């Protein structure tokens, strides 16, 4: 893999690293492909100018439109870089943890298979003792990592180059995905994130966490008029989640800091903004290379009949712009099936990311409006 990406000085500010160090033996080159193969069954190999970025013992994978994953398998070391286009503070903790879990389980399976193939007894051996996991950041064009215990038990560490590294982002590799609320020591969003503008996806996920009354209190504080709230409430009275999203969308935000300040001023101390960066990763367990294909038009047409009244939220989760979503709603004002069908067609024709079945399943799962079992039966059914 060309390592020129390390020359970009901003790369270190956007990346967290994970390193597996083997204690005794190197990974056979043939088996190293199993690591890349396992993870590429969930997230596809990135393409540049229609060429897959797949190299000998290394690859670049596309997690989403903003996040990339690099895997480099060396003689006694596996290096993993997870990069967000804006900042490492935007990396989803659930995604980072899922990648780590997938790679760790696969590495254990690879080592078990390798030991058995050369006649060694592995049944009484804990293969996890054959490698050490270290986590960290990027420093001077290379991974700067420490042991898990050191990262977990300290807020920072000073590396051999005398650079002070914060452990907050590095610990994302071992985020507890079952955790519903932030821990008591959570300091909230980093100042780098607070200066950024929330996307429609962020606002939709915030809306889901707010009650109608709390949402009204928040948006009125932010400056929309009572009459504007009443109009939104009237139009979307049967769809409370969409009503809350449209109310939040009504007032343009300059930054997450605007939302945080408003939330504090209305005496809502919950870490709601932290949670908008979390992703559902339940589907990782059933991910399959078949799900990296692009869904057929007939399947999308059938799916639209299995979804409820969710065109707006579905479009947001699929990355469709709100302007394009509104155009769909105007074109098909009274037919939710045609709305869903049009949104799905727009998504499939999008060039931002490859419209895979897996990405579609993630979005459908997120809007909680049916359709997931339909896709599962078609693509994973026996």
């Amino acid at each position: 893999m060309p390592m020129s990406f390390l020359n970009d000085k901003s790369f270190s500010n956007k990346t967290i690293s994970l390193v597996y160090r083997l204690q005794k033996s190197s990974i056979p080159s043939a088996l190293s492909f199993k690591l890349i193969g396992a993870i590429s069954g969930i997230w596809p190999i990135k393409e540049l100018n229609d060429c897959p970025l797949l190299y000998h013992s290394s690859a670049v994978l596309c997690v989403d439109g903003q996040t990339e994953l690099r895997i480099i398998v060396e003689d006694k070391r596996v290096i993993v870089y997870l990069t967000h286009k804006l900042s490492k503070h935007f990396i989803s903790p659930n995604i980072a943890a899922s990648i780590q879990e997938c790679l760790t389980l696969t590495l254990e399976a690879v080592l078990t298979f390798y030991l058995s193939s050369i006649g060694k007894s592995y049944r009484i051996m804990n293969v996890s003792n054959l490698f050490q996991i270290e986590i960290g950041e990027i420093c001077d064009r290379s991974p700067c990592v420490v042991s898990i215990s050191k990262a977990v038990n300290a807020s920072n560490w000073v590396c051999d180059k005398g650079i002070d590294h914060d452990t907050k982002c590095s610990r994302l590799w071992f985020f507890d995905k079952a955790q519903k609320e932030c821990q008591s020591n959570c300091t909230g969003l980093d100042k780098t994130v607070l200066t950024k503008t929330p996307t429609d996806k962020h606002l939709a996920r915030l809306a889901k966490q707010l009650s109608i009354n709390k949402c009204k209190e928040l948006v009125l504080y932010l400056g929309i008029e009572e009459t504007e709230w009443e109009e939104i409430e009237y139009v979307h009275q049967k769809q409370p989640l969409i009503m809350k999203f449209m109310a939040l969308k009504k007032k343009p935000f300059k930054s997450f800091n605007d939302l945080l300040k408003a939330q504090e001023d209305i005496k809502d101390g919950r870490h709601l903004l932290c949670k908008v960066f979390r992703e559902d990763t339940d589907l990782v367990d059933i991910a399959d290379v078949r799900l990296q294909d692009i869904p057929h038009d007939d399947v999308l047409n059938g799916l639209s009949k299995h979804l409820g009244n969710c065109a707006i939220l579905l479009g947001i989760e699929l990355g469709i712009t709100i302007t394009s979503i509104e155009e769909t709603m105007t074109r098909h004002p009274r037919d939710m099936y045609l709305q869903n069908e049009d949104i799905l067609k727009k998504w499939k024709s999008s060039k931002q990311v490859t419209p895979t079945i897996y990405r579609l399943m993630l979005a459908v799962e997120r809007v909680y409006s049916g359709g997931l079992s339909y896709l599962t039966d078609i693509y994973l059914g026996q």
Side-chain angles (χ1 to χ4, degrees):
M1 175 190 294
M3 305 300 286
S4 57
F5 62 88
L6 291 171
N7 296 328
D8 184 355
K9 293 182 179 179
S10 67
F11 183 75
S12 60
N13 296 324
K14 303 174 182 178
T15 304
I16 57 176
S17 59
L18 171 71
V19 174
Y20 295 90
R21 296 185 188 275
L22 273 76
Q23 302 296 321
K24 296 182 179 180
S25 60
S26 62
I27 303 176
S29 58
L31 295 182
S32 69
F33 299 130
K34 287 185 175 291
L35 286 172
I36 297 174
I39 206 77
S40 64
I42 305 172
W43 296 284
I45 302 294
K46 182 179 178 179
E47 293 188 357
L48 184 63
N49 299 325
D50 295 326
C51 294
L53 300 182
L54 179 62
Y55 309 92
H56 178 69
S57 298
S58 62
V60 182
L61 300 98
C62 180
V63 177
D64 56 42
Q66 300 288 314
T67 313
E68 292 180 354
L69 172 67
R70 289 174 171 83
I71 302 178
I72 304 167
V73 183
E74 298 179 344
D75 184 41
K76 292 186 178 181
R77 192 170 66 158
V78 179
I79 303 172
V80 184
Y81 296 126
L82 185 59
T83 306
H84 192 281
K85 187 179 295 184
L86 296 177
S87 166
K88 60 190 173 187
H89 298 284
F90 277 84
I91 293 174
S92 166
N94 304 69
I95 293 295
S98 293
I99 291 171
Q100 176 273 131
E101 290 170 0
C102 178
L103 286 173
T104 300
L105 289 172
T106 304
L107 182 57
E108 290 177 351
V110 166
L111 291 175
T112 298
F113 176 79
Y114 176 58
L115 291 173
S116 65
S117 68
I118 60 176
K120 289 191 176 182
S121 175
Y122 63 91
R123 290 182 176 83
I124 60 174
M125 181 185 299
N126 184 356
V127 292
S128 63
N129 292 330
L130 298 179
F131 60 87
Q132 178 183 354
I133 303 177
E134 297 173 318
I135 56 179
E137 302 181 322
I138 303 294
C139 185
D140 193 22
R141 301 186 76 255
S142 62
C144 186
V145 292
V146 293
S147 65
I148 299 171
S149 60
K150 186 171 183 178
V152 169
N153 295 316
S155 60
N156 65 296
W157 85 91
V158 179
C159 69
D160 295 339
K161 301 178 181 66
I163 298 175
D164 194 327
H165 296 275
D166 192 296
T167 61
K168 181 177 180 180
C169 290
S170 303
R171 293 196 302 268
L172 296 181
W173 292 114
F174 287 86
F175 176 76
D176 181 3
K177 295 187 294 183
Q179 177 183 312
K180 299 297 183 182
E181 304 296 335
C182 291
Q183 296 179 344
S184 58
N185 61 349
C186 177
T187 57
L189 298 183
D190 185 81
K191 61 182 180 181
T192 305
V193 178
L194 289 174
T195 61
K196 303 297 183 181
T197 303
T199 65
D200 290 341
K201 190 177 291 187
H202 293 141
L203 294 180
R205 295 176 182 182
L206 175 61
K208 186 177 178 182
Q209 300 178 72
L210 295 169
S211 67
I212 293 176
N213 289 336
K214 186 61 71 173
C215 182
K216 179 180 180 180
E217 186 179 0
L218 182 67
V219 296
L220 290 179
Y221 177 87
L222 286 166
I224 78 167
E225 300 295 332
E226 181 85 31
T227 53
E228 292 178 304
W229 168 266
E230 291 173 353
E231 290 171 358
I232 295 171
E233 189 175 33
Y234 176 77
V235 173
H236 302 287
Q237 56 185 314
K238 294 183 179 180
Q239 297 175 286
L241 181 53
I242 293 177
M243 178 186 71
K244 291 182 289 182
F245 166 76
M246 297 304 290
L248 289 168
K249 184 67 178 175
K250 186 73 174 180
K251 179 67 177 179
F253 300 107
K254 293 181 179 179
S255 67
F256 279 100
N257 204 41
D258 294 338
L259 285 171
L260 179 61
K261 186 177 185 304
Q263 191 185 348
E264 291 172 344
D265 287 348
I266 65 172
K267 311 302 182 186
D268 188 345
R270 296 173 295 167
H271 282 209
L272 303 183
L273 297 182
C274 291
K275 295 167 74 173
V276 304
F277 290 93
R278 298 183 188 177
E279 299 286 348
D280 290 334
T281 54
D282 294 342
L283 290 177
V284 169
D285 293 335
I286 65 168
D288 187 280
V289 68
R290 291 171 291 177
L291 301 183
Q292 297 306 328
D293 293 335
I294 297 175
H296 194 275
D297 289 344
D298 290 343
V299 174
L300 296 183
N301 292 338
L303 175 62
S304 65
K305 306 298 189 297
H306 287 78
L307 296 170
N309 194 0
C310 65
I312 294 177
L313 294 177
L314 179 64
I316 291 169
E317 287 298 329
L318 289 173
I320 309 298
T321 65
I322 193 66
T323 301
S324 184
I325 294 172
E326 289 176 340
E327 187 271 334
T328 293
M329 305 303 288
T330 301
R331 186 189 305 172
H332 308 290
R334 295 183 178 85
D335 193 325
M336 69 177 185
Y337 296 131
L338 287 179
Q339 291 172 2
N340 293 335
E341 184 178 321
D342 196 47
I343 289 295
L344 291 170
K345 286 180 179 178
K346 287 181 175 180
W347 167 73
K348 185 176 178 180
S349 63
S350 173
K351 302 299 182 183
Q352 289 187 332
V353 294
T354 304
T356 65
I357 299 163
Y358 183 70
R359 295 190 194 283
L360 177 59
M361 293 175 75
L362 287 175
V364 168
E365 180 191 36
R366 189 89 196 196
V367 299
Y368 301 103
S369 191
L372 184 59
S373 59
Y374 169 78
L375 293 173
T376 302
D377 289 343
I378 289 178
Y379 291 109
L380 298 177
Q382 300 299 323

